[in-house]
Amino acid sequence: MVIMVTGGTGLVGQAIRAVAEVEKGPNERWIFLSSKDGDLKNAAETRALFEKYKPTHVIHLAAMVGGLYRNMKYNCDFLRLNNAINDNVLDSCKEFKVKKVVSCLSTCIFPDKTTYPIDETMVHNGPPHHSNFGYSHAKRMIDIMNQVYHLQYGCMFTSVIPTNVYGPYDNFSLEDGHVLPGLINKIFTAKKNGTPFTVWGTGSPRRQFIYSRDLAKLMIWVLRNYNEVSPIILSVDEEAEVSIKEAAEMIIDAFEFKGEVIYDTSKSDGQYKKTASNAKLRKYLPDFKFTPMQQGIKETVNWFLENYESART
């Protein structure tokens, strides 16, 4: 097996690398690509990577990503650039007869107006939330592409849908990062400068957060063992869902922050909730143990403090 991981130096890619080093199977060669290796928006450069490494399996993580406010600002870019990346990667996988592809989707692809918990059958049941509908539709199209490549060419292309991922090597940018890494950087700055810690929004939206190392273990399991074209949600259990305020308080505890905390209610909350069911995953792996969120946040904060100079901020 030659396993090529696109987006291999990001949050999830680094976690997969760490897990693969410990749990490497016999006759497995892992290749982790970054944007420096080739531009996946370019068909010729994408093809050249497949020519060079001749992968038998692909984990496709590469994407233009960002938090709520970056999505709202660049909806068109998120749609066009992600569509280009996905089309080039999956077409090359077909041309080079890759045996299996696991692509990474997102819970934001689900309909904005829906019933909860959401599950894998509901992806295309209505429009996604307006705040990031460009990115959401590009990610939804991967599921459509998986189906049509399977129907027309017999390809084994599938996808996973993780809930909110966090961990070491995340993008801790205050403007462009996701909620947890953004809060970690904010509280670091507030503690250093002796200023208040400001959380955008009311803190009331609820999310399920999955530690990157847990997601990596599950994605490697999917690569080796899951043989459905339809996607599978990779998520902590429903009862592990927390509010943004609860998540912020865990970060406050991890930093031992004693300063003032402000909730800026003039900022958008985004989607209130998107509770996901992991019943399909539990059918396969009933005993999988997820990292407790307090522990995962503490490990992420420690990594951020130790790697601040090189972290994406």
Side-chain angles (χ1 to χ4, degrees):
M1 289 173 69
V2 180
I3 306 160
M4 190 168 81
V5 183
T6 70
T9 56
L11 166 65
V12 181
Q14 291 282 10
I16 290 175
R17 182 194 292 267
V19 173
E21 285 174 359
V22 177
E23 301 179 9
K24 188 176 180 181
N27 304 314
E28 284 183 0
R29 179 183 171 217
W30 289 79
I31 296 151
F32 293 86
L33 300 179
S34 77
S35 55
K36 294 173 184 169
D37 293 297
D39 181 4
L40 297 177
K41 298 187 298 297
N42 180 290
E45 289 192 34
T46 305
R47 187 178 179 85
L49 287 168
F50 279 77
E51 288 273 16
K52 181 177 181 180
Y53 294 111
K54 297 181 171 53
T56 61
H57 294 69
V58 169
I59 295 179
H60 176 36
L61 307 174
M64 178 185 178
V65 297
L68 170 65
Y69 297 95
R70 190 176 187 220
N71 269 277
M72 290 167 70
K73 191 173 179 181
Y74 299 111
N75 256 307
C76 183
D77 289 353
F78 274 97
L79 177 71
R80 294 186 65 244
L81 300 180
N82 282 306
N83 274 342
I85 291 168
N86 299 334
D87 188 50
N88 290 334
V89 169
L90 291 187
D91 191 55
S92 289
C93 286
K94 186 264 291 183
E95 288 299 316
F96 285 83
K97 296 181 170 54
V98 171
K99 293 176 183 175
K100 189 169 182 182
V101 181
V102 179
S103 295
C104 195
L105 309 187
S106 163
T107 49
C108 70
I109 68 177
F110 284 99
D112 179 33
K113 302 290 189 288
T114 189
T115 55
Y116 295 98
I118 48 184
D119 65 38
E120 294 85 354
T121 67
M122 301 160 71
V123 171
H124 304 286
N125 286 1
H129 194 265
H130 62 84
S131 61
N132 58 1
F133 74 108
Y135 176 76
S136 300
H137 278 297
K139 285 293 187 181
R140 276 190 189 187
M141 280 305 297
I142 291 180
D143 178 48
I144 300 295
M145 292 166 79
N146 288 345
Q147 293 178 48
V148 295
Y149 272 108
H150 182 70
L151 283 169
Q152 189 167 339
Y153 300 107
C155 298
M156 186 56 234
F157 296 174
T158 189
S159 57
V160 300
I161 309 174
T163 45
N164 294 55
V165 192
Y166 72 98
Y169 298 96
D170 208 341
N171 180 356
F172 295 86
S173 163
L174 297 177
E175 292 297 322
D176 296 340
H178 288 100
V179 60
L180 279 192
L183 291 175
I184 287 170
N185 195 359
K186 269 190 185 179
I187 204 166
F188 169 80
T189 305
K191 188 173 182 178
K192 183 174 69 173
N193 297 338
T195 52
F197 169 42
T198 302
V199 181
W200 286 358
T202 64
S204 59
R206 303 186 64 79
R207 296 290 184 267
Q208 288 154 292
F209 292 96
I210 183 169
Y211 192 37
S212 57
R213 198 68 64 91
D214 294 343
L215 177 59
K217 290 176 182 176
L218 291 171
M219 288 194 72
I220 291 172
W221 170 84
V222 168
L223 184 77
R224 293 173 178 159
N225 301 287
Y226 180 75
N227 293 307
E228 298 182 38
V229 173
S230 59
I232 183 168
I233 290 171
L234 302 183
S235 170
V236 297
D237 302 316
E238 290 168 50
E239 55 266 28
E241 187 177 59
V242 298
S243 69
I244 300 302
K245 185 173 188 290
E246 288 168 324
E249 287 166 353
M250 291 182 204
I251 299 170
I252 288 168
D253 289 343
F255 271 99
E256 298 179 356
F257 179 76
K258 308 297 183 190
E260 184 183 3
V261 180
I262 298 169
Y263 286 85
D264 182 356
T265 56
S266 70
K267 300 291 187 183
S268 171
D269 271 336
Q271 204 165 354
Y272 174 68
K273 64 182 282 181
K274 35 188 177 179
T275 314
S277 167
N278 67 358
K280 187 173 182 178
L281 174 65
R282 285 298 189 197
K283 184 181 75 176
Y284 284 104
L285 298 172
D287 301 319
F288 186 86
K289 296 284 191 294
F290 289 94
T291 303
M293 192 168 170
Q294 290 91 338
Q295 177 189 333
I297 283 181
K298 184 63 178 171
E299 290 178 12
T300 305
V301 167
N302 289 345
W303 182 90
F304 176 75
L305 293 173
E306 289 166 9
N307 297 275
Y308 179 74
E309 294 304 321
S310 59
R312 289 182 290 166
T313 56

